[in-house]
Amino acid sequence: MQDIVVVVVSVNLLVSLIFRTYTGIVRYTSMADIGRISCLSLISAVIYYYVNVAALYYSKENMFPLSVIAINFFISTFFLLSYRLFVKWAFRYYARYGTMNKTKAVIYNAGHSGLMVREAINNDIEGNIKVCAFLDDKLTRTGKRLEGLPICSTSKSSLERLVKQEKIKLLIVAEEALESWQLNNLVDTCISLNIRVQKVLPVNKWINAGWSSSQLQDIKIEDLLDRSVISINNEQVSREAKGKAILVTGAAGSIGSELVRQLIKLSPSVIILCDKAESPLHELEVDIMELSPTVPIVPYIADICDRTRMQQLFEVYEPTVVYHAAAYKHVPMMEKNPSVAVLNNVLGTKILAELAVEFNVEKFVMVSTDKAVNPTNVMGASKRIAEIFTQSYNHHVNRQFKKTGPVFGNPPTRFITTRFGNVLGSNGSVIPRFKQQLEKGGPLTVTHPEITRYFMTIPEACQLVLEAGAMGQGGEIFVFDMGKPVRIAELAHKMIRMSGKEPGKDIQVVYTGLRPGEKLYEELLNNAENTVSTYHEKIMIARVREYDFVEVNNNIDKLIAAARKHYITPTVTLMKQLVPEFISKNSAYEQLDKDKIKL
């Protein structure tokens, strides 16, 4: 008897050490654990059989009869598995019913990702979420059950029923490739039913580290962009940048920094990061060095209005392509400081354009704005004047090229303009401001109930700039389909509801009145302009009025002279002469338009 006990204990200990069944967390027992336990029992039975054969051979003693081995195999396997499954069930029961104040949720996606998220939430004992159902658009899945939970459709009636019967408060989006229009519909339906919507990070980003509530993130307003994202995949873009020295002005800004991040992937010989903001430029340099340590970058602190400093840049680094994103862009601020707007946006552009021609730059791509169309403010007018200068200068240098022939064997610089609307998440834009106001508990400030704006994402804006640089032959103003304009008031209400609050009750929306120079809606094309299509259905070229360069240059010189002296009224008056369609709105300069306005 003592020998039998020693053999049984030794065999079980040895096999347990080999299969390490003791290392698993019992409540997380999986099919792999069940397989290991079954193998353990089977190998133990085989060892008992051979021990019994040896015992019969040497001592003629039947130590482990076959019937005992078989009974031991089934009983030990049953108890080992039953114990684990009972503990697993007990923990799951506690997780599901043990806490009354858990947030009841549904998971959008009845596929593999959704199932993984549900399992992770159920195994999170300390979590405060209880999954009650799955949602899915696929008809082959709706009406069935998954892991004991119903799979419902995404219709409003289906969600209303879940709210009524299950008291659903949260929808978790576990679908990684969800179209913006689908997400928009889902969010709008949930907002109307007071259901909070959150998305989970891709499974491969948290599966190894384990689940935690931090894997759930609120839906960003950028995710709800109400149009198909414009994707650019043009080999010419890569050819235009590869192996070339590229200058990006305003490199530390929202557009400039994203331009640099996209350009760095195209293997240029060097990128010169030009900006006058020291700290943001340093941060960008550190980020780019981590992102791509092989591409040389040059942080260059300079004011684009400083011709001597900028000339030094062109002499030393000899850029082949210039992306000009440096500009003052805040409408109310520039309305109060028109001379500074002219010096930075007009003089800075003029200096860069002239240096580009002098140093044989291949392409000069300027970032403009929809506020340059029928401008009602100083900022928009200053950008329109910059457009007029670069476009007329492009025609001028081409005519000179035809007369005098190539300079040093090089064709003239090609000037290209891109014009687009507001950028989601850019510095000082409405989305970050609303987020800050939400964090403070409100109110959210909107200038007018009917004000609308076009929106695009920063990566899209930069893709357009790069595409324009590759596509443009000189003198074009590129615009593109911005989708439908967004009412800012609706945006504010949606952001409040997406944060789980109620507009007018938890957080107020306050209308402050139009700011100086601000208009209710923006345009991408002047009324007198038309467009021609390009090879990309979403990108167009604006047909605009052509200007005589000599006349434009003289008038701009007068404008810059007035701006240097910081004469406010003469500066704005000269701007209006250069841009006849510039009619001020809600501004101190409205009196200068009396002759233009027809009653």
Side-chain angles (χ1 to χ4, degrees):
M1 182 65 182
Q2 187 177 358
D3 294 339
I4 294 175
V5 171
V6 170
V7 170
V8 169
V9 171
S10 300
V11 168
N12 280 288
L13 183 60
L14 177 65
V15 177
S16 295
L17 287 171
I18 293 172
F19 285 92
R20 298 176 62 81
T21 54
Y22 59 89
T23 59
I25 301 175
V26 176
R27 66 175 182 267
Y28 295 144
T29 298
S30 63
M31 290 301 297
D33 295 317
I34 292 173
R36 280 197 294 271
I37 290 169
S38 300
C39 285
L40 181 148
S41 298
L42 181 62
I43 291 175
S44 297
V46 171
I47 293 173
Y48 293 147
Y49 172 78
Y50 281 107
V51 168
N52 187 61
V53 169
L56 285 172
Y57 180 80
Y58 290 109
S59 62
K60 308 299 182 182
E61 181 182 352
N62 193 6
M63 184 177 291
F64 298 110
L66 288 177
S67 58
V68 172
I69 294 174
I71 292 170
N72 177 74
F73 169 78
F74 287 111
I75 290 178
S76 62
T77 303
F78 173 77
F79 278 108
L80 284 172
L81 293 179
S82 297
Y83 159 69
R84 282 165 169 76
L85 293 176
F86 175 78
V87 172
K88 184 180 179 71
W89 173 84
F91 272 94
R92 182 165 294 188
Y93 180 88
Y94 174 79
R96 188 176 300 178
Y97 303 107
T99 308
M100 299 302 294
N101 61 351
K102 287 196 173 187
T103 301
K104 295 185 177 181
V106 291
I107 295 176
Y108 179 85
N109 185 349
H112 177 70
S113 296
L115 188 59
M116 294 279 287
V117 172
R118 191 257 184 172
E119 285 295 318
I121 290 174
N122 274 1
N123 290 330
D124 184 15
I125 303 302
E126 298 179 357
N128 63 344
I129 296 173
K130 174 190 171 185
V131 179
C132 300
F134 289 95
L135 291 185
D136 209 293
D137 289 317
K138 294 181 180 177
L139 297 177
T140 54
R141 293 176 178 175
T142 54
K144 299 179 180 179
R145 300 183 76 84
L146 180 65
E147 288 279 315
L149 298 180
I151 303 175
C152 305
S153 71
T154 56
S155 65
K156 187 172 183 179
S157 58
S158 178
L159 281 167
E160 283 177 340
R161 187 167 58 252
L162 285 169
V163 170
K164 186 176 180 180
Q165 295 176 358
E166 301 289 346
K167 310 299 180 187
I168 297 298
K169 292 292 183 183
L170 174 65
L171 186 145
I172 299 171
V173 178
E175 176 65 58
E176 296 175 22
L178 191 63
E179 292 287 343
S180 60
W181 65 268
Q182 291 177 296
L183 185 59
N184 252 304
N185 292 339
L186 202 60
V187 169
D188 287 340
T189 302
C190 289
I191 284 176
S192 66
L193 297 174
N194 199 28
I195 300 174
R196 187 174 184 180
V197 183
Q198 291 186 306
K199 65 178 179 179
V200 65
L201 293 174
V203 173
N204 59 359
K205 291 187 177 181
W206 55 264
I207 190 66
N208 293 326
W211 174 266
S212 69
S213 58
S214 63
Q215 314 304 340
L216 289 177
Q217 298 180 346
D218 289 332
I219 299 293
K220 296 178 182 177
I221 203 69
E222 292 91 330
D223 299 325
L224 303 178
L225 192 63
D226 192 19
R227 60 188 174 86
S228 299
V229 172
I230 294 178
S231 60
I232 303 296
N233 184 18
N234 187 353
E235 292 182 1
Q236 188 178 351
V237 175
S238 179
R239 290 197 299 270
E240 290 278 332
K242 189 172 184 179
K244 294 181 179 178
I246 298 176
L247 166 63
V248 179
T249 69
S254 305
I255 296 294
S257 59
E258 178 62 23
L259 266 176
V260 172
R261 289 185 177 91
Q262 293 195 21
L263 284 166
I264 208 80
K265 301 173 185 176
L266 305 179
S267 303
S269 62
V270 63
I271 297 184
I272 303 101
L273 317 177
C274 179
D275 206 294
K276 62 181 180 181
E278 175 201 11
S279 296
L281 188 61
H282 169 71
E283 292 172 7
L284 177 64
E285 179 190 12
V286 172
D287 289 345
I288 298 303
M289 288 177 68
E290 293 177 355
L291 182 67
S292 182
T294 58
V295 177
I297 57 173
V298 178
Y300 194 88
I301 298 178
D303 184 345
I304 58 172
C305 298
D306 185 343
R307 180 181 288 271
T308 303
R309 178 69 171 154
M310 296 310 299
Q311 182 170 340
Q312 184 184 50
L313 185 154
F314 279 84
E315 289 174 347
V316 174
Y317 298 105
E318 299 180 341
T320 307
V321 181
V322 174
Y323 291 95
H324 177 37
Y328 284 147
K329 64 179 183 177
H330 293 287
V331 170
M333 186 71 72
M334 294 304 101
E335 204 70 12
K336 297 173 183 175
N337 302 275
S339 59
V340 177
V342 168
L343 291 177
N344 193 79
N345 295 355
V346 180
L347 174 60
T349 300
K350 187 173 187 291
I351 289 172
L352 285 167
E354 291 170 348
L355 288 171
V357 171
E358 181 182 345
F359 287 89
N360 303 312
V361 169
E362 288 181 6
K363 284 189 177 180
F364 183 101
V365 184
M366 186 180 77
V367 176
S368 189
T369 170
D370 57 0
K371 294 176 177 62
V373 184
N374 293 325
T376 60
N377 53 69
V378 167
M379 192 283 286
S382 69
K383 293 297 288 183
R384 179 60 189 137
I385 294 169
E387 288 183 358
I388 292 169
F389 177 82
T390 54
Q391 197 173 31
S392 61
Y393 194 32
N394 182 84
H395 299 322
H396 173 71
V397 295
N398 272 284
R399 285 192 293 269
Q400 293 296 111
F401 175 76
K402 290 176 182 178
K403 287 180 182 179
T404 62
V407 180
F408 304 116
N410 295 316
T413 304
R414 287 172 282 177
F415 291 90
I416 299 143
T417 299
T418 58
R419 185 192 283 174
F420 44 78
N422 297 272
V423 178
L424 288 168
S426 63
N427 296 330
S429 66
V430 66
I431 305 299
R433 189 175 77 246
F434 280 170
K435 288 178 180 178
Q436 291 171 0
Q437 291 173 339
L438 275 172
E439 291 172 359
K440 295 176 182 178
L444 269 61
T445 55
V446 180
T447 57
H448 192 282
E450 300 301 322
I451 193 168
T452 63
R453 290 292 181 265
Y454 292 99
F455 284 104
M456 64 189 301
T457 64
I458 293 175
E460 283 180 296
C462 295
Q463 286 172 4
L464 175 61
V465 173
L466 294 178
E467 182 71 6
M471 186 192 302
Q473 296 303 308
E476 304 99 334
I477 294 180
F478 286 90
V479 296
F480 82 135
D481 182 1
M482 295 284 296
K484 298 178 181 178
V486 177
R487 285 184 66 230
I488 303 302
E490 290 180 359
L491 190 68
H493 282 82
K494 180 173 278 191
M495 288 185 68
I496 292 171
R497 290 194 177 99
M498 284 169 59
S499 69
K501 305 293 178 59
E502 186 66 27
K505 182 180 178 182
D506 301 316
I507 295 181
Q508 302 295 322
V509 175
V510 177
Y511 298 104
T512 58
L514 289 174
R515 298 174 297 176
E518 191 171 46
K519 54 184 175 181
L520 285 178
Y521 61 92
E522 303 289 5
E523 306 155 271
L524 291 177
L525 291 174
N526 186 290
N527 292 333
E529 297 170 350
N530 55 12
T531 61
V532 294
S533 61
T534 67
Y535 60 75
H536 196 296
E537 62 179 2
K538 297 287 187 178
I539 304 176
M540 298 151 284
I541 300 173
R543 290 292 191 188
V544 295
R545 169 189 167 189
E546 290 190 12
Y547 290 79
D548 178 69
F549 173 72
V550 175
E551 182 182 350
V552 165
N553 195 42
N554 289 335
N555 290 334
I556 286 178
D557 284 342
K558 293 176 184 177
L559 173 64
I560 292 170
R564 286 187 188 278
K565 296 176 181 178
H566 299 289
Y567 292 157
I568 293 179
T569 301
T571 297
V572 178
T573 301
L574 289 168
M575 293 179 78
K576 291 178 179 292
Q577 290 174 6
L578 270 162
V579 186
E581 65 271 24
F582 172 25
I583 298 177
S584 299
K585 292 286 180 68
N586 191 34
S587 170
Y589 312 123
E590 289 181 28
Q591 59 183 348
L592 302 176
D593 300 316
K594 290 180 181 179
D595 295 335
K596 296 182 182 180
I597 300 173
K598 297 179 180 180
L599 300 176

